[in-house]
Amino acid sequence: MKQNTVLTTTMRTHTCGELRVGHTGQTVILCGWIQSIRNLGGMTFIDLRDRYGITQLAFNGETQPDLCKQVSDYGREWVLRATGTVTERYNKNPKNPTGDIEIIAEKIEVLSVSDVPPFTIENDSDGGDDLRARYRYLDLRREIVKNNLLFRHHIAIEVRKYMNDLGFVEIETPFLVKSTPEGARDFVVPSRVSRGDFYALPQSPQTFKQLLMLAGYDRYFQIVKCFRDEDLRADRQPEFTQIDCEMAFVTQEDILQTFEGLVKHIFKVIKGIDIAPIERVTYADAMKYYGNDKPDTRFDMRFTELTDLLQHRDFTVFKQAEWIGGIVATGCGNYSRKQLDELTDFVRKPQVGAAGLVYLLCLPDGKIKSSVDKFYAQEDLQHVATRCGAKPGDLILILSGKTEKTRTQLSQLRLEMGQRLGLRAAGTYKLLWVVDFPLLEWDEETGRYYAKHHPFTAPKPEQEQELETAPETVNANAYDLVINGTEIGGGSIRISNRELQERMFRVLGFSNEEARKQFGFLLNAFRYGAPPHGGIAFGLDRLCAVLSDAESIRDFIAFPKNNAARDMMLDSPSSISNEQLKELGIMLTS
Ligand code: ASP
């Protein structure tokens, strides 16, 4: 907030965060909530709080007995209007920016009384998650929650300024749209006027922003709500906010450069951090070296593939494995039995799901002690250490099994080791572009291809011919921005040609008729001059959380849902009346 912003209104002269020794002697009027009341011998003190801070009001029992009596039965969270004189304090409180002064109160008006709040309005509140969610408006009074919302506001404003300076136009797109079978599940909204029909809430403004490109608005952005009815997972919100962007007449390189600029700007103004040019890794390499398409690159610990090195002995576990890979935990060669058992327990947890863990302790004398000494000669183990680049004093951890599954498990172990070794410290930021995603992904269960990003993503031009003949080999100019192992944004170069879009729908298993029914508007639009275009969307909630080193995106949403997708305050979702159902033409069975 600008320093010279005038907050004086007819009800108050200053805020509770504003007064300093320089104001001594002034008569002021403050409004706010009672944070606390203390009666200390002859003096009564009230800490009055508003959005801007806390100021102490003082009442002298000897000289102001009536006022003292008046406030004696006030309670926490009452709303007061206090008139008084700013006075320098004897006992200053260096922890509070207004702690050098207090207000010798002259007149107190009660603007509103309050029940005793169900939890303390303090950073270290005594209220549990559920209780605070139910009384979110009280939770929002807590300083840490307030600071999170202001932090979010600051980021959003900076995004708007930056985008505006680059000629991007913020355009709103509708919330009542059409349900489509692709992607996550839709939230649907029954139409009363068109009985039996439904709108859907948008999972993203994807097709609208593409139509805007077609319409000539070559730089679009929008800070926009998106809705996805996904299965419950920790830290997912059914409605969340994207910084949604699209550009026409661009290549992938233009998009990466433009949005690298935006992200750097945010880091600079919000955190004061200069971000180095963002490294890039292909999807294939991310999977090969980290087992993960959003690797945390604050630390290295890359995978080394060992399949060919370890299948020549009689160790059936390895012999039968499709893939064997290892990581090196530097300096952990002295791990105790107990520590190694802990790691084995970790990989065996159902969330990880490995059958077991093989370890090689590289001893200071150059020898190697392993959990598979029975099967492998010292020489075999030395080969493994050499390939992994392990030195005496290091620990090699090895998992084996089906390729994809094992890579995922080793990725989890890598993150766990990074955590244990303090390599994922808060306050360090490693940004990464993951590029060249595959266009499609095969789903065993349904026996069909799905778009890895979305059905509007273009195949790499040089691979277009293989779309039907070898779909699984086709890559896309699709990219994700990853910060510290969290996906913060993703986008792609789009299909801007009717025929190619129709081919893509066919590969995805749509009949021509289905494609026309679902996406006819887009296919038709492509008849009328579609420029090449591409874009990206960033998760604003997630960006706030990552920049704050916070665990949960919920902390940055004013009125979030809980992990069961419920709004505890509204008690929603909830049933609606039979009359409403009837009006909407909806019949509930059982
Ligand atoms: N609409 C995409 C999404 O929501 C982002 C993009 O491709 O721009 O993930």
Side-chain angles (χ1 to χ4, degrees):
M1 198 170 60
K2 292 203 191 95
Q3 289 305 314
N4 57 1
T5 307
V6 179
L7 289 156
T8 306
T9 63
T10 44
M11 286 204 80
R12 63 179 177 190
T13 60
H14 295 82
T15 71
C16 297
E18 202 179 347
L19 297 169
R20 302 287 185 271
V21 172
H23 296 93
T24 304
Q26 287 185 23
T27 299
V28 296
I29 308 174
L30 303 183
C31 293
W33 289 257
I34 296 179
Q35 176 74 27
S36 64
I37 300 193
R38 300 179 305 281
N39 197 325
L40 300 178
M43 295 293 291
T44 299
F45 297 100
I46 292 182
D47 278 347
L48 198 65
R49 181 194 71 238
D50 66 10
R51 194 188 114 189
Y52 309 89
I54 291 180
T55 298
Q56 178 167 294
L57 311 176
F59 306 83
N60 188 322
E62 271 178 34
T63 55
Q64 305 170 293
D66 292 347
L67 260 186
C68 275
K69 190 159 176 301
Q70 184 193 330
V71 302
S72 64
D73 59 352
Y74 291 1
R76 280 189 288 138
E77 302 307 316
W78 286 35
V79 184
L80 304 183
R81 180 171 187 245
T83 309
T85 309
V86 182
T87 312
E88 187 168 356
R89 274 203 226 173
Y90 289 114
N91 278 335
K92 297 197 165 63
N93 176 1
K95 286 196 204 126
N96 185 348
T98 67
D100 285 355
I101 57 100
E102 63 192 1
I103 311 297
I104 304 296
E106 281 144 27
K107 186 175 153 202
I108 300 291
E109 293 155 76
V110 175
L111 301 180
S112 177
V113 298
S114 168
D115 286 356
V116 175
F119 52 86
T120 53
I121 311 289
E122 273 157 19
N123 284 348
D124 258 333
S125 175
D126 57 1
D129 285 352
D130 278 3
L131 191 64
R132 284 186 291 110
R134 242 187 297 146
Y135 294 89
R136 182 64 172 170
Y137 45 89
L138 296 181
D139 201 27
L140 288 170
R141 289 182 187 171
R142 296 195 303 136
E143 195 190 6
I144 29 176
V145 185
K146 177 197 76 189
N147 287 344
N148 284 343
L149 291 190
L150 296 183
F151 183 77
R152 179 191 179 104
H153 162 75
H154 194 181
I155 293 177
I157 290 291
E158 284 302 331
V159 168
R160 288 202 160 98
K161 282 203 295 205
Y162 189 87
M163 300 300 279
N164 180 59
D165 286 348
L166 290 186
F168 282 81
V169 185
E170 184 161 23
I171 301 176
E172 289 176 64
T173 50
F175 277 174
L176 294 177
V177 299
K178 186 180 170 70
S179 185
T180 63
E182 272 317 86
R185 278 197 201 89
D186 286 325
F187 282 101
V188 293
V189 181
S191 161
R192 180 183 57 80
V193 178
S194 188
R195 255 175 144 227
D197 288 343
F198 293 82
Y199 299 101
L201 301 179
Q203 295 185 23
S204 85
Q206 183 60 37
T207 47
F208 289 104
K209 65 175 174 173
Q210 292 189 234
L211 293 174
L212 287 170
M213 294 305 107
L214 208 129
Y217 300 84
D218 63 345
R219 291 183 166 209
Y220 143 95
F221 87 106
Q222 185 182 187
I223 297 185
V224 63
K225 273 288 177 73
C226 301
F227 307 86
R228 295 186 191 170
D229 190 4
E230 287 177 306
D231 289 337
L232 304 175
R233 266 200 261 163
D235 212 27
R236 280 283 170 105
Q237 287 283 312
E239 53 179 306
F240 59 96
T241 305
Q242 284 190 343
I243 305 167
D244 189 45
C245 314
E246 195 78 3
M247 301 171 84
F249 306 115
V250 284
T251 60
Q252 165 172 292
E253 191 56 36
D254 296 315
I255 293 180
L256 297 187
Q257 296 282 348
T258 305
F259 293 100
E260 187 156 332
L262 169 68
V263 172
K264 281 184 177 166
H265 174 75
I266 297 294
F267 268 89
K268 185 70 190 172
V269 292
I270 302 287
K271 307 284 293 185
I273 294 175
D274 286 305
I275 296 290
I278 301 177
E279 279 177 37
R280 297 182 191 181
V281 65
T282 62
Y283 171 86
D285 278 351
M287 298 309 285
K288 182 169 168 194
Y289 295 120
Y290 306 101
N292 194 324
D293 62 4
K294 42 178 187 301
D296 184 345
T297 45
R298 278 175 293 184
F299 64 109
D300 205 27
M301 210 185 279
R302 290 174 178 224
F303 295 3
T304 306
E305 185 167 347
L306 302 167
T307 321
D308 60 313
L309 264 191
L310 287 168
Q311 291 194 314
H312 63 298
R313 303 278 181 212
D314 250 354
F315 183 45
T316 25
V317 175
F318 281 175
K319 259 194 145 161
Q320 288 168 359
E322 186 179 72
W323 188 85
I324 308 171
I327 51 173
V328 177
T330 309
C332 298
N334 57 357
Y335 260 31
S336 64
R337 183 77 222 191
K338 184 165 163 275
Q339 284 170 304
L340 294 165
D341 285 348
E342 271 172 21
L343 294 180
T344 307
D345 289 345
F346 173 82
V347 298
R348 281 192 178 145
K349 278 199 309 195
Q351 302 93 303
V352 183
L357 174 69
V358 167
Y359 59 82
L360 272 64
L361 292 159
C362 304
L363 305 175
D365 63 4
K367 292 237 170 51
I368 296 177
K369 190 164 155 277
S370 86
S371 55
V372 285
D373 282 348
K374 264 203 291 196
F375 303 96
Y376 293 95
Q378 197 45 224
E379 198 194 346
D380 299 326
L381 302 176
Q382 292 293 349
H383 283 146
V384 173
T386 307
R387 178 169 303 173
C388 292
K391 296 187 191 57
D394 291 347
L395 167 67
I396 304 173
L397 299 168
I398 299 175
L399 292 180
S400 64
K402 283 265 181 212
T403 309
E404 231 173 87
K405 208 165 132 197
T406 312
R407 278 177 170 176
T408 306
Q409 292 162 348
L410 194 58
S411 163
Q412 284 168 285
L413 181 61
R414 175 182 175 271
L415 291 175
E416 170 70 14
M417 289 313 295
Q419 198 71 39
R420 282 174 182 247
L421 297 175
L423 304 173
R424 301 175 71 195
T428 35
Y429 300 97
K430 211 54 200 268
L431 287 76
L432 184 72
W433 286 114
V434 181
V435 297
D436 295 350
F437 273 82
L439 183 70
L440 301 157
E441 172 169 59
W442 179 256
D443 181 57
E444 281 298 337
E445 240 173 72
T446 48
R448 57 160 277 205
Y449 285 106
Y450 282 85
K452 180 98 183 151
H453 188 51
H454 52 54
F456 317 106
T457 295
K460 282 196 182 264
E462 64 276 15
Q463 291 187 295
E464 241 175 74
Q465 306 86 288
E466 288 121 65
L467 190 54
E468 289 83 7
T469 49
E472 64 287 344
T473 63
V474 177
N475 283 339
N477 280 326
Y479 31 79
D480 275 357
L481 179 74
V482 175
I483 305 182
N484 293 355
T486 300
E487 182 198 325
I488 291 297
S492 61
I493 295 295
R494 327 296 186 191
I495 297 172
S496 54
N497 160 302
R498 180 184 166 98
E499 192 220 352
L500 183 57
Q501 187 67 71
E502 280 177 335
R503 282 172 61 198
M504 181 68 177
F505 284 138
R506 271 198 293 277
V507 172
L508 294 173
F510 283 71
S511 68
N512 284 350
E513 198 194 331
E514 276 168 347
R516 223 158 287 148
K517 201 166 155 221
Q518 295 295 334
F519 296 110
F521 65 97
L522 187 68
L523 293 168
N524 271 339
F526 285 158
R527 290 176 197 268
Y528 297 97
H533 60 284
I536 192 165
F538 298 94
L540 177 60
D541 317 286
R542 194 135 278 147
L543 182 63
C544 292
V546 166
L547 284 170
S548 302
D549 297 300
E551 290 287 315
S552 172
I553 63 169
R554 243 185 292 169
D555 299 347
F556 298 88
I557 298 174
F559 297 101
K561 312 265 185 292
N562 71 6
N563 274 348
R566 288 201 73 78
D567 186 318
M568 300 286 283
M569 184 182 72
L570 301 178
D571 192 21
S572 169
S574 56
S575 58
I576 58 174
S577 70
N578 282 336
E579 287 74 49
Q580 278 174 294
L581 285 171
K582 229 165 97 194
E583 201 170 38
L584 295 166
I586 296 175
M587 293 219 321
L588 293 184
T589 50
S590 81

